Amino acid sequence: MLTIAFDVGETIVRDDRYWASWADWLDIPHHTLSALVGAVVAQGRDNADALRLLQPDIDLDAEYAAREAAGRGERIEEDDLYPDVRPALIALRAAGHRLVIAGNQTERAAELLRALRLPVDAVATSGEWGVAKPDPGFFTRLIEFTQAPPDRIVYVGDHPANDVGPAKAAGLRTAHIRRGPWGHLWAGTPAAAAADWQISTLTELAAIVT
């Protein structure tokens, strides 16, 4: 039995709604923000820099709280999931593996993910842990959280610098999924090639981990 841990954004869920809601909140065209997200991704920068390019003095925590107060806050619903998520999780669980979701997300995102009742054993986010990838402390917490030996944990994510590199440094095995801006843009880099496996869909995992 392995413990398979999944990143969230562009691994489990699409980020379309996330960025569209920020564009609506800031009253800018969706395409403008999408293009800026692509630009900062290509530069290897924090994706939140796309918002800072639009409003250099933006206080993201304050804006996040204002959105929540206005009833326009964070949402993760069934149609935000990639279509392969539930089939892959069901197959992996049927094969006897332990499944967790753990990524760079807010405490609210953890609540929303749990409300979807995905077939996983646990959900945790950086907002709950107080440490975010690529900080090594995130993967230390993940190992403690799963109570599994590092070499029996497979971390699945789309971002080579946030997911593959630091997970391998912590002794975990890794699968890089080629989807989303980071997954596609950095797929051909040495950082992505360092993963134990490279996949295009989560359904490939069932055959790999056996």
Side-chain angles (χ1 to χ4, degrees), residues 2 18-19 27 30 32 34 44 47 68 76 85 90 102 115 117 123 131 133 143 147-148 153 160 170 177 199 209:
L2 295 174
Y18 176 84
W19 291 114
D27 195 24
H30 291 190
T32 299
S34 293
N47 56 12
E68 291 289 341
I76 300 176
V85 170
I90 290 169
R117 298 186 179 278
V123 174
V131 61
K133 299 176 297 182
I143 294 166
Q147 297 185 328
I153 302 171
I177 187 164
I199 60 176
V209 297

Side-chain angles (χ1 to χ4, degrees), residues 147-161:
Q147 297 185 328
D151 64 354
R152 300 297 295 171
I153 302 171
V154 178
Y155 194 78
V156 185
D158 65 301
H159 197 309

Side-chain angles (χ1 to χ4, degrees), residues 5-8 12 89 99-103 113 118 120 122-125 145:
F6 297 87
D7 174 42
V8 180
I12 294 292
L89 296 178
L99 310 178
V100 302
I101 295 173
L113 287 166
L118 291 164
V120 298
V123 174
T125 63
F145 183 65

